Amino acid sequence: MKKNFVSNSSASIRMFKNDFLESLSKVRFYVPLIVYVPVIVFLAWQSLFQLEVPLINFLGWFLVGLGIWTITEYVLHRYVFHYEPKVEFGKRIHFIFHGVHHDYPNDAKRLVMPPSASIPMALGFYFLFKWLLPAAGLNPFFSGFMIGYLFYDMVHYALHHANFKSGFWKKLKQHHMLHHYSDSTKGYGVSWTFWDHIFRSNFEKK
């Protein structure tokens, strides 16, 4: 298959001439935690103490939300982030959202989604789920969904910058590195590889 450019440098490439736009494209790995952990805590508190959702119901919806995140992660990565438009403007948008990460996978400031992108996306999902779900299930479901997202972001950063010696995390890192350096048409699961097995996009064992 065609091999694309991949930099082994940890340097960050400039994407925008405008300094403000450029700043919005970069983020430290811990920023999503600062932004979303308080939101998750508030949603959980509101569910349990204001809306008085029974704990067992809360946990059930929470786990469903977490599970839905896993397939969402896979679908977004495979069909949205890896969709390559034919027109030049579309190619530019693709590069901004995901192509730059594949060209510069060691750029530490472009390993988690910046709030400029994640907040609009989170709001879109929230209002979608608000339309689909019963009121009592919305907050616990979205709490689980957002925990899944944060897990994804933190795992993604660790896969690029932590040295795992053995076990589950080493295998997960190998899976993701194969996606970057061997075949980007496989291995779309980042924090979960389950759906790669289901949809036959996993790497074949040699």
Side-chain angles (χ1 to χ4, degrees), residues 61-102:
W61 280 110
F62 180 93
L63 292 175
V64 171
L66 183 61
I68 292 298
W69 165 257
T70 67
I71 184 63
T72 302
E73 173 189 315
Y74 180 89
V75 169
L76 284 176
H77 192 188
R78 180 170 184 172
Y79 297 107
V80 179
F81 296 161
H82 276 272
Y83 173 74
E84 298 187 16
K86 303 300 181 184
V87 298
E88 288 303 316
F89 177 75
K91 290 179 180 179
R92 173 65 174 167
I93 296 299
H94 171 263
F95 181 78
I96 291 171
F97 272 91
H98 197 63
V100 65
H101 173 56
H102 272 266

Side-chain angles (χ1 to χ4, degrees), residues 7 19 37 64 77 86 90 176 187:
S7 171
D19 289 340
V37 167
V64 171
H77 192 188
K86 303 300 181 184
H176 191 57

Side-chain angles (χ1 to χ4, degrees), residues 117-128:
S118 68
I119 290 176
M121 188 175 293
L123 287 173
F125 276 119
Y126 178 82
F127 287 112
L128 173 64

Side-chain angles (χ1 to χ4, degrees), residues 32-34 36-37 40 69 145-155:
L33 296 174
I34 296 173
Y36 293 109
V37 167
I40 294 168
W69 165 257
F145 189 83
M146 293 307 297
I147 286 288
Y149 160 69
L150 288 179
F151 182 73
Y152 154 79
D153 253 357
M154 298 305 106
V155 167

Side-chain angles (χ1 to χ4, degrees), residues 179-198:
H179 173 74
H180 272 283
Y181 293 98
S182 179
D183 188 350
S184 62
T185 67
K186 295 181 180 178
Y188 297 103
V190 177
S191 59
W192 317 81
T193 62
F194 173 78
W195 297 109
D196 279 311
H197 294 281
I198 297 299

